[in-house]
Amino acid sequence: MAGQTDDTKREGFGWGIWATGAIAAQFAADLDHVPGARRAAVCSRSMETAQAFSAKHGFASAHADPDAFLADPAVDAVYIASPHTEHCAQALRAIAAGKPVLIEKPVAMTSVEARTIEDAARNAGVFAMEALWTRFLPAVQRAKALIDDGAIGTVRRAEASLLFHRPFDPEHRLFDPARGGGVLHDLGVYPLSLATFLFGAPALERGRWQAAPTGVDRAAEVALTCGSVPFTAKVGFVEDPAAEGRNDFIVYGETGTLRIDRHFLSGPSLTLWDRPLETTPDPRGWGEKLARRLPMPGRTVMDFARPSRGLNFQAAAVQAAIARGETAHPAMPLSDSAAVLAIIEQVLAAPPEN
């Protein structure tokens, strides 16, 4: 399939996607909701796979050769959607080719790799960012504005959970150490990165984790201080569907309480209480579901329903940052990505508690 001409290229912002898995398909679909975005090219190890993905999602060209993909003049930025063990090498290759990169989370396997990507992008004058899409969701942006504006007073503490039903499967990448398996890299980055975004630089207070039979972490509890805010997070792959977590993100202030509602990583809604609480109702309970439909004094629910999965907001932010000539986005600097990975490394440096 031939690449597009320079005249066509100028009609929009051309996205290239490297890899063709589930997250790549979700990103491709959400480009429908990004003003000015254009589906330029796809790269896969197999030309057959690349062409099938390209045809299904409406991309202009398909590649099995990464060099040809990165040389495609229709590609204005590359979304790296490969397994995260490949992120660093592919990001460095794209940066060396002069292509801006949006790298699926986690940005790399280690904090050293994250800093290597950051240094390479800065030195080359090329944009690079981790695709921690949650930071760019309207609900999360609104939550940060409310916190920064003092809507709940001084923040006293915060907590989050992400525990999803995922039975153990030694063949699945999430449980495979060779493919970067483990819950902290897959789910833990969400609460740790969000706490860093909302409150400040993270410092580990304590952490513990449990191992799956393959040795990767299947559950973890982490306590941080982010800026001056104590923060705790629980993440896990659970065998029993009934053991799934609240999966919300709660901020306790001196004058009010804010909750990014279940499942917070996708930012469906916010709940704001005009008083300090010691805990909030469990979002899984029937009483809570009923209460959300009824007006209640002192409680405001802000809905952020949307037609997309939510990956479009980060894509739009990347396009705008590149148009401004930036090599990093102020809302998601790679220094934050490296700091979160450093926390994960510290937690996993201790033996598991099984």
Side-chain angles (χ1 to χ4, degrees):
M1 302 174 73
Q4 295 185 328
T5 66
D6 287 344
D7 288 341
T8 304
K9 178 176 179 288
R10 284 194 292 270
E11 292 178 1
F13 187 96
W15 281 98
I17 296 184
W18 198 342
T20 55
I23 191 65
Q26 292 165 0
F27 185 86
D30 273 8
L31 289 179
D32 281 343
H33 306 280
V34 182
R38 177 173 43 78
R39 295 172 175 87
V42 174
C43 185
S44 179
R45 288 173 293 183
S46 158
M47 178 57 81
E48 181 181 3
T49 302
Q51 289 176 334
F53 187 97
S54 178
K56 181 176 181 179
H57 297 284
F59 282 78
S61 61
H63 300 276
D65 178 1
D67 290 333
F69 170 67
L70 295 174
D72 190 333
V75 174
D76 295 312
V78 174
Y79 171 59
I80 295 176
S82 56
H84 37 270
T85 51
E86 301 178 31
H87 288 178
C88 183
Q90 291 181 344
L92 294 177
R93 193 168 180 177
I95 290 167
K99 296 295 188 184
V101 284
L102 174 63
I103 309 153
E104 185 50 44
K105 63 85 192 166
V107 70
M109 285 302 299
T110 69
S111 57
V112 170
E113 288 183 345
R115 289 190 290 268
T116 299
I117 296 169
E118 181 182 24
D119 291 343
R122 184 189 305 111
N123 292 336
V126 173
F127 181 90
M129 189 183 90
E130 181 180 23
L132 210 300
W133 56 288
T134 297
R135 287 197 182 195
F136 296 91
L137 295 173
V140 171
Q141 292 286 318
R142 179 63 173 153
K144 182 167 176 58
L146 288 167
I147 293 167
D148 290 349
D149 290 345
I152 60 172
T154 301
V155 176
R156 296 184 290 116
R157 63 184 177 91
E159 62 188 31
S161 65
L162 278 180
L163 295 100
F164 285 108
H165 177 226
R166 173 71 68 177
F168 174 69
D169 177 0
E171 302 301 319
H172 196 283
R173 67 167 184 85
L174 291 176
F175 295 99
D176 183 355
R179 289 186 284 172
V183 72
L184 282 167
H185 282 94
D186 186 66
L187 295 180
V189 291
Y190 285 111
L192 301 184
S193 183
L194 185 51
T196 300
F197 177 57
L198 294 176
F199 312 125
L204 181 66
E205 299 298 331
R206 63 187 181 278
R208 60 180 185 174
W209 63 283
Q210 298 174 353
T214 52
V216 304
D217 49 306
R218 70 181 310 164
E221 296 183 21
V222 182
L224 307 175
T225 299
C226 292
S228 60
V229 175
F231 172 72
T232 57
K234 295 181 180 180
V235 295
F237 302 137
V238 298
E239 293 282 343
D240 182 357
E244 284 204 351
R246 291 174 52 120
N247 297 349
D248 52 7
F249 191 109
I250 311 166
V251 186
Y252 298 95
E254 289 187 341
T255 61
T257 307
L258 181 149
R259 184 179 69 193
I260 307 174
D261 295 323
R262 174 184 174 93
H263 299 283
F264 81 82
L265 78 170
S266 62
S269 59
L270 295 180
T271 301
L272 184 67
W273 289 267
D274 65 1
R275 62 192 185 280
L277 301 176
E278 291 304 316
T279 187
T280 67
D282 191 325
R284 298 164 296 182
W286 283 107
E288 173 72 354
K289 293 176 182 178
L290 179 62
R292 288 178 59 81
R293 299 189 180 97
L294 302 173
M296 298 184 64
R299 169 176 167 157
T300 302
V301 178
M302 296 169 241
D303 183 68
F304 292 89
R306 57 181 184 267
S308 69
R309 174 181 168 84
L311 305 181
N312 51 301
F313 299 107
Q314 65 175 355
V318 169
Q319 291 182 189
I322 292 172
R324 295 191 298 266
E326 298 173 351
T327 60
H329 197 287
M332 188 66 248
L334 283 170
S335 56
D336 279 10
S337 303
V340 168
L341 286 169
I343 294 294
I344 291 173
E345 289 162 3
Q346 292 175 59
V347 173
L348 295 179
E353 297 182 0
N354 284 351

